[in-house]
Amino acid sequence: MAVNAHLKTSESGRQFLAGFEGVVLKAYPDPATGGKPWTIGIGHTAAAGAPVVSKGMTISRDQAFEILARDLATFEAWVIKLIKVPLTQAQFDAMVSLCFNIGPGNFTGSSVVRLFNAGKRLDAAAAFTLWNKADGKVMSGLIRRRAAERTMFETGNYGIAIAANDDVPVTQGVVLARGSAHPEAVRALQADLISLNLLPAKPDPDGDFGPLTDTAVRQFQRTHALTIDGRAGPATRAAMAAALVKAKRPIAVAMYPLPGQALDVPFAA
């Protein structure tokens, strides 16, 4: 039996992961197709197994975490298979979070795995921080996630307050904000801000929610009687969608609750 076969992602680990991936309680379409694959919960699609996600489907927060626990089995199996020496619970949770975000193929070839198996625990922890790029560009959101995973791995500190499992409105989606770890969604948000003449058309959207994007979101909120906090949540995106429709311009992201799973993969070992 594999040395870590007894381990499963802890409740703290699932809450940590959901904090970065987002929790969406109403099925939302793929922005590229306007339909399939539908996603719900914490980045769950039918490709991951039951339940099959369809238009109009809603779930509770408890159900979102139950689905996540099942979806994580694949990534837990990869960590158990690849790591040949004993892991603490926090080390296991950090590795599952990394594998979930970058994919099993990248995780398999990562220096995190190689160094930990070689007994170099601190070097393996430092190697988490290499996975901070999307399209070759260092992303502030990925820096933040990797730093949190490294802290969990090294100290056992998850850096979270475990949220109550009370239901939240089914319209809840990922909120984009400064330092967001969702670069593909940020690029789409930036495209909408460009269409509204709130960001310059050049350079192209880079997916990094930095000070210019923050200022643009706040400017939009100020002129549309919204809470001025620089956070692009469902209310701000809905108002942005209405503004784009009125201006007869395409909508890149505003009509869609946003995926919890980042769509890109960092170029690092």
Side-chain angles (χ1 to χ4, degrees):
M1 178 181 290
V3 66
N4 296 300
H6 63 290
L7 290 174
K8 296 285 185 184
T9 308
S10 69
E11 173 65 16
S12 295
R14 292 192 292 271
Q15 293 283 353
F16 172 93
L17 197 151
F20 281 98
E21 299 291 345
V23 183
V24 182
L25 304 183
K26 183 175 182 179
Y28 58 91
D30 181 89
T33 67
K36 295 180 179 181
W38 292 85
T39 304
I40 203 166
I42 305 165
H44 174 81
T45 67
V52 174
V53 187
S54 57
K55 183 178 180 179
M57 179 178 178
T58 63
I59 58 175
S60 68
R61 184 175 176 84
D62 283 348
Q63 289 172 319
F65 278 89
E66 290 168 5
I67 294 167
L68 174 65
R70 294 197 298 269
D71 288 351
L72 285 177
T74 296
F75 305 95
E76 291 166 345
W78 277 101
V79 173
I80 289 167
K81 174 183 176 181
L82 293 169
I83 301 301
K84 308 300 184 182
V85 293
L87 289 161
T88 66
Q89 182 66 60
Q91 288 169 344
F92 180 78
D93 289 348
M95 287 197 174
V96 170
S97 176
L98 179 66
C99 186
F100 188 90
N101 187 236
I102 70 176
N106 289 289
F107 182 76
T108 297
S110 71
S111 51
V112 173
V113 172
R114 174 173 52 81
L115 290 167
F116 192 80
N117 281 334
K120 299 179 179 180
R121 182 179 65 84
L122 294 179
D123 290 339
F128 273 78
T129 63
L130 297 174
W131 293 89
N132 62 3
K133 298 182 180 70
D135 295 334
K137 177 180 173 60
V138 174
M139 308 301 291
S140 57
L142 293 177
I143 290 173
R144 182 166 57 87
R145 177 166 179 162
R146 298 289 93 87
E149 289 167 345
R150 178 181 182 177
T151 296
M152 184 201 311
F153 186 90
E154 287 186 318
T155 70
N157 182 354
Y158 288 73
I160 57 172
I162 302 303
N165 285 334
D166 296 336
D167 286 353
V168 293
V170 297
T171 55
Q172 175 178 336
V174 174
V175 175
L176 295 176
R178 191 161 180 176
S180 172
H182 302 275
E184 288 300 325
V186 172
R187 286 190 188 96
L189 172 67
Q190 290 169 329
D192 283 342
L193 292 168
I194 289 169
S195 293
L196 292 169
N197 299 316
L198 294 172
L199 279 178
K202 296 293 182 180
D204 293 333
D206 61 7
D208 193 5
F209 200 128
L212 290 179
T213 302
D214 179 83
T215 297
V217 170
R218 290 174 186 271
Q219 183 178 344
F220 178 84
Q221 291 171 329
R222 185 175 296 108
T223 58
H224 288 79
L226 295 162
T227 301
I228 304 170
D229 58 7
R231 295 164 61 82
T236 294
R237 293 200 305 273
M240 199 173 292
L244 288 164
V245 169
K246 184 177 181 179
K248 297 182 179 180
R249 293 174 182 168
I251 300 169
V253 73
M255 289 295 288
Y256 299 101
L258 300 171
Q261 177 85 40
L263 299 179
D264 43 29
V265 175
F267 296 157

